[in-house]
Amino acid sequence: MLSVGTLEPGSRHDLRIGKSPDAPDESQMPDEAEGAFGYVHSYETSSRYDGPGLRAVLFVSGCLLRCSYCHNPDTWHLKDGTRISAQQVIDRLGGFASALRSLDGGLTISGGEPLVQVAFTRRILAAAKSMGLHTAIETSGFLGARADDAYLANLDLVLLDVKSSDPETYLRVTGRELGPTLRFAERLAALGKRTWVRFTLVPGHTDDPANVEGLARIVAPMTNVEWVEVQPFHQLGAFKWKAMDLEYKESTTASPTPDLINRVFEQFRTAGCNVR
Ligand code: SF4
């Protein structure tokens, strides 16, 4: 019998490992009682960064990508997260709901990757909608096919992390194929689903002008994409790689310079994207 832990507040920058050693592998997450239980890293209650207004952000465990610059490798495996019930999340959210509504905010589920635990996140999003909350997920889109139309109907906004427009670069930095993310982006566009595209600018990996240009050309015609958000690489997650005894290839990678950020902004702007 798997145990149920406590939903602990915290921050995406907290290191949380080894909480559920008996958890399944993230590539084989069963729909535990159709999402009644799931694995969670932490949650924050006052983000102004992960969607409009004031956000509660739930960081769920499990990701199938292995980005070389990932800031939160402690969200990769379900076994590092805490097993909790969806009801625990929903009850906690209920306590914040009126404050979130009054500040034009809502719930964002991030990770990790929310679509690894699709039944669990589906339940929480549906409950958030029934509380009248604005809802969002942050996803790489790699598992976008798992989000059926009913799942998307409970989402007001998708924060879509597109790591690269170049298939080779994408494979090199994430260990996975680009195709599923692009197919998901096209589906969101066809549905007119409000989307913010997030692009992590990593010197030496994603900063190539042709790579940025390629992404700008893909995104510019998508009228559902309100913003392209450029996220400068930083080293705040480096300590997690060390603590987890993982080989961190970006230890000498610098944050992008203001000049580089300006160049990338200009490339998106010139292509017709709203960028920030
Ligand atoms: S998709 Fe996000 S959580 Fe997954 S490895 Fe990449 S940066 Fe980390």
Side-chain angles (χ1 to χ4, degrees), residues 63 65-67 69-72 75-76 111-113 140 161 163:
C63 184
L65 274 57
R66 294 290 178 265
C67 300
Y69 52 82
C70 180
H71 298 139
N72 293 304
T75 64
W76 288 353
E113 168 56 62
S140 73
D161 293 317
K163 317 286 182 182

Side-chain angles (χ1 to χ4, degrees), residues 12-13 29 56-57 65 71 82 97 111 121 148 172 175 186 189 199 203 208 216 220 226 244-245 253 263 267-268:
R12 65 196 83 192
H13 301 302
M29 175 63 183
V57 186
L65 274 57
H71 298 139
T82 305
T121 54
D148 57 23
R172 181 163 47 82
E186 283 159 12
F199 173 65
D208 186 77
E226 281 184 355
M244 295 175 72
D245 207 17
T253 302
R263 191 211 81 204
Q267 283 190 273
F268 280 113

Side-chain angles (χ1 to χ4, degrees), residues 11 36 78 82 105 121 130 134 142 164 215 236 244 252 255-257 275:
S11 148
L78 300 178
T82 305
T121 54
S130 71
H134 180 281
F142 178 69
S164 168
L215 182 56
L236 288 179
M244 295 175 72
T252 58
S255 295
T257 61
V275 60

Side-chain angles (χ1 to χ4, degrees), residues 121-139:
T121 54
R122 180 193 298 273
R123 245 182 215 244
I124 295 166
L125 290 167
K129 278 320 289 175
S130 71
M131 293 176 204
L133 290 174
H134 180 281
T135 55
I137 62 167
E138 178 171 20
T139 174

Side-chain angles (χ1 to χ4, degrees), residues 2-272:
L2 294 166
S3 59
V4 180
T6 309
L7 176 58
E8 292 175 48
S11 148
R12 65 196 83 192
H13 301 302
D14 294 345
L15 175 71
R16 293 202 172 156
I17 48 176
K19 303 277 185 186
S20 301
D22 299 326
D25 189 86
E26 51 281 0
S27 63
Q28 290 159 0
M29 175 63 183
D31 276 355
E32 267 198 87
E34 294 183 349
F37 296 92
Y39 297 85
V40 162
H41 176 277
S42 61
Y43 73 91
E44 296 175 4
T45 54
S46 52
S47 167
R48 291 209 169 265
Y49 173 70
D50 302 285
L54 187 80
R55 315 295 297 182
V57 186
L58 181 69
F59 297 95
V60 289
S61 303
C63 184
L64 303 190
L65 274 57
R66 294 290 178 265
C67 300
S68 65
Y69 52 82
C70 180
H71 298 139
N72 293 304
D74 54 340
T75 64
W76 288 353
H77 305 297
L78 300 178
K79 66 181 166 67
D80 285 326
T82 305
R83 183 171 179 271
I84 55 162
S85 69
Q87 197 57 48
Q88 284 172 273
V89 179
I90 293 163
D91 290 347
R92 191 68 54 89
L93 190 60
F96 304 127
S98 72
L100 295 170
R101 277 193 305 264
S102 68
L103 291 161
D104 300 321
L107 171 70
T108 300
I109 304 183
S110 181
E113 168 56 62
L115 296 176
V116 165
Q117 302 189 70
V118 70
F120 181 61
T121 54
R122 180 193 298 273
R123 245 182 215 244
I124 295 166
L125 290 167
K129 278 320 289 175
S130 71
M131 293 176 204
L133 290 174
H134 180 281
T135 55
I137 62 167
E138 178 171 20
T139 174
S140 73
F142 178 69
L143 299 174
R146 286 192 186 176
D148 57 23
D149 287 351
Y151 189 101
L152 295 181
N154 274 325
L155 276 179
D156 295 304
L157 173 70
V158 176
L159 306 176
L160 182 62
D161 293 317
V162 186
K163 317 286 182 182
S164 168
S165 68
D166 172 56
E168 275 177 32
T169 305
Y170 197 95
L171 186 62
R172 181 163 47 82
V173 298
T174 71
R176 294 286 181 170
E177 303 286 335
L178 169 63
T181 295
L182 292 186
R183 285 195 286 281
F184 189 52
E186 283 159 12
R187 187 165 148 234
L188 294 174
L191 289 168
K193 182 62 68 179
R194 188 180 178 200
T195 298
W196 296 354
V197 166
R198 290 185 152 183
F199 173 65
T200 307
L201 181 57
V202 190
H205 288 306
T206 64
D207 60 337
D208 186 77
N211 185 43
V212 176
E213 190 68 33
L215 182 56
R217 272 205 309 269
I218 291 168
V219 171
M222 294 180 168
T223 52
N224 63 311
V225 175
E226 281 184 355
W227 290 103
V228 173
E229 299 189 312
V230 177
Q231 304 188 308
F233 167 79
H234 58 70
Q235 291 283 2
L236 288 179
F239 82 98
K240 293 191 176 187
W241 289 74
K242 193 164 180 215
M244 295 175 72
D245 207 17
L246 296 168
E247 188 196 356
Y248 182 51
K249 294 186 181 143
E250 310 303 339
S251 56
T252 58
T253 302
S255 295
T257 61
D259 280 354
L260 175 56
I261 294 171
N262 285 338
R263 191 211 81 204
V264 169
F265 267 55
E266 201 46 44
Q267 283 190 273
F268 280 113
R269 246 185 238 119
T270 303

